[in-house]
Amino acid sequence: MKKYNVCIVGGGSTYTLGFLKSFARMQNEFPLNKLVLFDIDADRQKPIGQYGDIMFAERYPELDFSYTTDPKEAYEGMDFIFMQMRAGGLKMRQQDEHIPLSMGKIGQETCGAGGMAYGMRSCKDMIAAIYDIRKYAPDAWVLNYSNPAAIVAEALRREFPNDTRILNICDQPENVVRSTSRLLGCNWEDLDPVYFGLNHYGWFTHIYDRKTGEDLLPKVREIVKEKGFLPQDAEQRDQSWLDTYGFVKTMLEDFPDYLPNTYDGYYLYPEYKASHLDPNFTRADEVMAGRESRVFKECAEIIKEGKLGDKFDAISDAHAEMMIKVAEAIAFNTNERFILIVENNGAICNMQDDAMVEVVCELGINGPRPMRVGNIDQFYLGLLVQQVSAEKLLVDAFFEHSYKKALMAFTLNRLVNDAKVARKLLDALIEANGDMWPELK
Ligand code: NAD
Ligand code: G6P
Ligand code: MN
């Protein structure tokens, strides 16, 4: 069986430990020859790399594992490159969330003004990274889930129009399917969803039982009405995530047609959401105090002891597993179904062809084959056309260095929605981002 070479860009990410453990756990189904971590921040990546050295020596001794800040060392000979960079780091995520909230607007990692601010930084760094990758690994598959994935996907589509081996993915639709399976008391892999939307803005029109073909959505609606909605891994989640998932109940009461993605809450209830977020302690603060400090504490403990022993915790990591299974589908040409971000080209019939949409795809060695959704109803079409327009205008602003286009993007985004506020926000974010953004004229 062929063994694969994989690189993780953003080796110092809080998600890397989950990947290292998952690659070790999945070594029989997806065998690796070489695994390299790459980051621009050597100090941040080092403890994660040292953890990997210890863990793999015990669990995967034949694996050639290393970590580096040198692109050539990282990319040469790679089959798959998993991209999980955070342009500007969690400190800038904090600014993305705090600045809009200080003006009464939602501050969120990927939605609204904060998401657009992050988008400008990510487009710049992701494009530069992909040029580096293509210099050393022209044929590698690039699996990108760096956020904001919708905006990054649009920018990559324009900058690399002929590159058919860049795939943009988000785990949230699958997280919602997994959560639904917990509610139904079944295995999530027995569910066969139909989904449409943009990244972090979509709906499930059907949740079929894979064996019987029954549409379980009516049942799901009834159960959510009675019991609410929880993430599949609720026991490991912070309160803010439990609240976000819990809000699915409200959305289903108001808009019962389809099961929503959890992120829809920001777009459907912007005023309610903004008034319930704490401007001085947002999700970025919670992540720094929680996940980030837990990950680096875990590394420090293992490095101090010099061995893992029985500390290889058995809890699986849904995010890493999904991304590895995406690589498997390509490597083994399985044509398994995933919900992926692809160019529309008629999948949602009444949306423009060049929108980057999120739909169910079959995935194999030649990339994703989107499954047709058909026409979507006016309400959803209205919401999505507004958002896709905002995203496209932001990417125009990025490439054309256009303040005017950025102002249009901010004004059009439902979470800003007012030109005067848009201008104030844009000016504050230009100031906060300095040369992490292109200069807008
Ligand atoms: P983090 O800040 O902990 O980690 C990001 C790492 O990327 C850091 O070590 C940083 O030094 C590194 N980095 C920054 N710019 C880089 C560059 N140009 N090249 C290489 N490395 C670079 O962030 P995190 O919370 O672990 O999240 C990582 C990324 O994964 C984010 O973009 C996040 O939004 C994304 N993510 C996406 C999904 C999804 O489903 N789409 C799920 C989880 C996380
Ligand atoms: C989900 C989304 C990702 C997002 C992450 C944020 O997995 O799909 O796109 O980055 O949640 O999680 P956090 O815990 O950092 O707020
Ligand atoms: Mn996502």
Side-chain angles (χ1 to χ4, degrees):
M1 196 176 187
K2 178 174 157 73
K3 292 186 173 184
Y4 293 89
N5 293 341
V6 169
C7 171
I8 301 181
V9 177
S13 153
T14 57
Y15 291 94
T16 305
L17 279 196
F19 274 90
L20 301 186
K21 292 175 191 173
S22 300
F23 277 122
R25 258 185 226 116
M26 295 163 81
Q27 56 188 277
N28 292 326
E29 67 174 270
F30 190 63
L32 298 187
N33 169 53
K34 189 171 171 184
L35 177 63
V36 184
L37 306 185
F38 171 81
D39 206 292
I40 49 168
D41 184 340
D43 293 341
R44 187 177 174 92
Q45 179 171 252
K46 191 175 173 194
I48 310 247
Q50 289 174 316
Y51 178 103
D53 281 336
I54 295 167
M55 195 262 287
F56 290 129
E58 289 176 30
R59 306 269 158 170
Y60 206 167
E62 69 276 24
L63 176 70
D64 175 358
F65 171 73
S66 60
Y67 49 101
T68 182
T69 54
D70 175 30
K72 182 169 186 280
E73 220 175 289
Y75 302 142
E76 230 166 37
M78 286 297 138
D79 298 303
F80 290 95
I81 296 179
F82 289 58
M83 301 197 74
Q84 49 179 35
M85 68 165 70
R86 184 182 290 287
L90 284 160
K91 281 282 168 208
M92 283 311 294
R93 173 177 180 178
Q94 194 182 38
Q95 296 291 301
D96 296 340
E97 295 174 348
H98 286 212
I99 292 171
L101 274 168
S102 74
M103 299 183 196
K105 297 291 175 184
I106 286 173
Q108 208 281 328
E109 183 195 21
T110 62
C111 306
M116 290 188 284
Y118 184 17
M120 285 287 204
R121 296 194 301 274
S122 273
C123 288
K124 207 172 166 190
D125 292 0
M126 279 292 301
I127 288 173
I130 296 209
Y131 275 113
D132 269 354
I133 289 171
R134 286 301 178 235
K135 191 165 150 197
Y136 299 112
D139 298 325
W141 275 93
V142 173
L143 309 185
N144 176 54
Y145 42 96
S146 307
N147 269 317
I151 292 166
V152 170
E154 173 64 18
L156 298 184
R157 182 187 74 81
R158 293 194 205 180
E159 185 69 21
F160 305 100
N162 302 317
D163 194 324
T164 53
R165 292 193 170 183
I166 301 174
L167 193 58
N168 298 283
I169 325 154
C170 165
D171 62 12
Q172 198 58 11
E174 186 173 299
N175 287 337
V176 173
V177 174
R178 286 175 181 251
S179 307
T180 304
S181 74
R182 176 176 176 159
L183 211 68
L184 290 164
C186 67
N187 185 338
W188 74 271
E189 281 157 318
D190 293 338
L191 300 177
D192 178 18
V194 181
Y195 183 86
F196 74 87
L198 308 173
N199 177 236
H200 288 188
Y201 204 171
W203 290 266
F204 293 88
T205 59
H206 307 278
I207 307 264
Y208 292 117
D209 180 321
R210 208 177 280 282
K211 291 195 193 99
T212 65
E214 181 191 354
D215 188 358
L216 300 170
L217 199 64
K219 210 183 261 176
V220 171
R221 213 178 273 128
E222 286 312 306
I223 306 179
V224 173
K225 202 190 243 172
E226 225 179 90
K227 298 190 177 163
F229 199 67
L230 271 179
Q232 188 193 33
D233 53 353
E235 291 69 20
Q236 294 140 44
R237 292 281 188 155
D238 290 327
Q239 187 58 43
S240 66
W241 267 117
L242 300 180
D243 296 344
T244 300
Y245 275 78
F247 210 66
V248 164
K249 181 170 189 275
T250 305
M251 291 193 266
L252 261 184
E253 278 162 7
D254 284 337
F255 308 102
D257 293 348
Y258 307 138
L259 179 68
N261 188 310
T262 52
Y263 282 91
D264 300 352
Y266 296 108
Y267 294 100
L268 295 173
Y269 308 86
E271 289 183 18
Y272 175 88
K273 283 279 184 185
S275 65
H276 284 75
L277 291 167
D278 178 351
N280 300 312
F281 192 82
T282 60
R283 179 67 191 145
D285 300 282
E286 201 178 31
V287 169
M288 288 188 271
R291 186 174 70 236
E292 187 186 40
S293 59
R294 269 197 309 277
V295 161
F296 288 100
K297 196 165 148 244
E298 190 179 341
C299 291
E301 276 171 17
I302 298 302
I303 293 164
K304 193 167 158 221
E305 284 181 32
K307 63 178 184 4
L308 201 68
D310 56 8
K311 289 212 178 86
F312 185 75
D313 62 64
I315 299 169
S316 70
D317 183 307
H319 169 70
E321 273 173 22
M322 173 184 167
M323 300 305 168
I324 296 170
K325 282 186 177 296
V326 163
E328 275 175 37
I330 295 170
F332 309 138
N333 199 20
T334 63
N335 287 320
E336 202 182 317
R337 290 179 193 175
F338 292 92
I339 297 174
L340 301 171
I341 304 164
V342 291
E343 200 172 74
N344 186 27
N345 290 329
I348 302 175
C349 299
N350 49 354
M351 266 186 80
Q352 67 199 80
D353 280 346
D354 65 356
M356 292 305 281
V357 298
E358 201 168 63
V359 292
V360 179
C361 299
E362 287 181 351
L363 182 62
I365 201 160
N366 293 310
R369 281 202 295 251
M371 298 176 75
R372 187 176 175 278
V373 174
N375 286 327
I376 56 172
D377 290 345
Q378 200 68 53
F379 176 63
Y380 304 96
L381 183 68
L383 292 171
L384 294 185
V385 167
Q386 178 177 16
Q387 178 64 13
V388 88
S389 305
E391 286 166 3
K392 281 187 174 292
L393 283 160
L394 189 86
V395 175
D396 287 349
F398 171 81
F399 282 114
E400 297 166 21
H401 292 222
S402 165
Y403 183 94
K404 184 182 87 176
K405 292 276 184 76
L407 183 61
M408 287 173 172
F410 272 60
T411 305
L412 202 50
N413 192 298
R414 264 178 81 74
L415 307 194
V416 182
N417 200 38
D418 177 282
K420 283 208 185 293
V421 182
R423 186 181 284 281
K424 243 173 77 182
L425 262 169
L426 184 55
D427 291 344
L429 289 166
I430 287 173
E431 169 99 33
N433 280 278
D435 61 11
M436 286 181 274
W437 273 25
E439 193 187 349
L440 301 183
K441 290 182 211 115

